[in-house]
Amino acid sequence: MSANGGSMESEYVWRHHKHEMQENQCSSVLAKRIRAPVHLVWSLVRRFDQPQKYKPFVHSCIVRGGNTEGSIREVNVKSGLPATTSTERLEILDDKEHILSIRILGGDHRLKNYWSIITLHNEVIDGRPGTLALESYVVDVPEGNTKEETRYFVEALIKCNLKSLADVSERLAFQDHTELLER
């Protein structure tokens, strides 16, 4: 990361990832550097209708309203997690600023009043175009859990999703680079 990378990251967090929390809620921001250009990473993130393209816990998804703000999706979760379904609304889809925000409306899980924002930012990584992905959330702490337990669980899911996003994006970037060399 460049010398001013930390200050830029702080600026992005300040601008896009401030959540107003109630007493019974927790929140945090996670960062992932991806060795793929923003346009490629965004092509995956922006697909509200196809989260299974990079989210490993999503089995399938049915969307009402297309891939536009206000659309609702019914997500079927893979077995092994303490949930099978999640109903989610697309709050923000900003192709210019690379911002996607989702609110969970319901489902058979314990993530109540969950709201997340993911933003993508251009960054140079090892001399090549890369992406800084920032994802923040706010969620109610379930009855019987502590803020720390809730934060640990949600962050584990987000870290897994961000790692998978990086893996898929980097594989696609490598394929694009290889195809250019073969022409």
Side-chain angles (χ1 to χ4, degrees):
M1 181 166 67
S2 64
N4 70 346
S7 64
M8 286 305 297
E9 189 172 316
S10 297
E11 168 68 20
Y12 299 143
V13 170
W14 180 83
R15 199 168 26 163
H16 301 292
H17 297 275
K18 289 283 195 180
H19 296 281
E20 290 188 27
M21 290 192 318
Q22 305 298 319
E23 181 62 34
N24 67 328
Q25 294 182 316
C26 66
S27 178
S28 74
V29 180
L30 291 93
K32 180 72 176 168
R33 284 175 171 74
I34 302 172
R35 288 175 163 81
V38 167
H39 71 86
L40 195 150
V41 180
W42 181 246
S43 73
L44 295 166
V45 171
R46 75 173 311 282
R47 294 303 306 260
F48 178 74
D49 58 334
Q50 295 182 0
Q52 65 274 22
K53 291 272 189 193
Y54 75 91
K55 291 186 175 187
F57 301 116
V58 175
H59 181 265
S60 62
C61 173
I62 298 171
V63 175
R64 296 188 309 266
N67 207 45
T68 59
E69 291 178 0
S71 296
I72 306 290
R73 71 182 178 194
E74 298 291 333
V75 174
N76 292 308
V77 180
K78 289 183 179 176
S79 62
L81 286 178
T84 57
T85 63
S86 183
T87 303
E88 303 168 357
R89 181 176 56 223
L90 179 58
E91 297 288 319
I92 300 170
L93 178 65
D94 186 331
D95 285 316
K96 184 174 182 249
E97 295 289 325
H98 304 115
I99 302 170
L100 180 100
S101 177
I102 294 168
R103 185 176 306 273
I104 293 181
L105 304 176
D108 64 348
H109 50 72
R110 300 180 73 200
L111 298 177
K112 305 299 180 215
N113 291 317
Y114 181 90
W115 176 42
S116 71
I117 298 172
I118 185 168
T119 61
L120 304 180
H121 310 276
N122 286 305
E123 186 165 285
V124 176
I125 301 173
D126 298 331
R128 294 202 148 142
T131 301
L132 171 63
L134 296 171
E135 186 162 353
S136 63
Y137 69 91
V138 63
V139 66
D140 289 358
V141 175
E143 186 80 29
N145 285 73
T146 66
K147 286 185 179 187
E148 291 74 27
E149 291 167 334
T150 304
R151 193 175 293 117
Y152 179 82
F153 174 74
V154 174
E155 287 182 10
L157 287 175
I158 291 173
K159 285 177 185 175
C160 187
N161 285 339
L162 289 173
K163 182 185 181 321
S164 180
L165 176 61
D167 291 346
V168 172
S169 298
E170 290 169 1
R171 187 170 41 251
L172 289 171
F174 179 75
Q175 288 172 351
D176 283 353
H177 184 70
T178 303
E179 287 174 10
L180 286 174
L181 292 174
E182 292 173 354
R183 288 185 188 167

